[in-house]
Amino acid sequence: GLRRLSRAVRRGDAVSVITAAPDDAWLDGVRALLWRGAQVDAFLLGRGDNGAAFAPVAAALADLGVTHHIVDTFADPGSRLAA
């Protein structure tokens, strides 16, 4: 997972995380990437609830300073990215 990837990442590398998992199990991997100096962006794939399931994870990412986007996979294709 992300923790294993963090061993290969160097300061300044950019990593995009794309997940549909609304739990926070993968946040330790994000922390490891940040500790290594990576720039991390996260794309959270929602399921038609306007990202409500990701609220706790989105808050944790914001606390870490990680840019994140909730992509509602069931939304109108013209408005898929939610702030």
Side-chain angles (χ1 to χ4, degrees), residues 15-70:
V15 178
S16 291
V17 177
I18 302 169
T19 184
D23 59 56
D24 64 357
W26 52 273
L27 287 178
D28 282 341
V30 170
R31 288 183 188 93
L33 290 166
L34 294 170
W35 185 82
R36 297 282 295 183
Q39 177 187 342
V40 180
D41 296 305
F43 294 87
L44 312 173
L45 304 180
R47 299 198 172 130
D49 63 357
N50 292 321
F54 282 107
V57 171
L61 290 169
D63 288 345
L64 293 171
V66 173
T67 302
H68 59 281
H69 307 277
I70 297 173

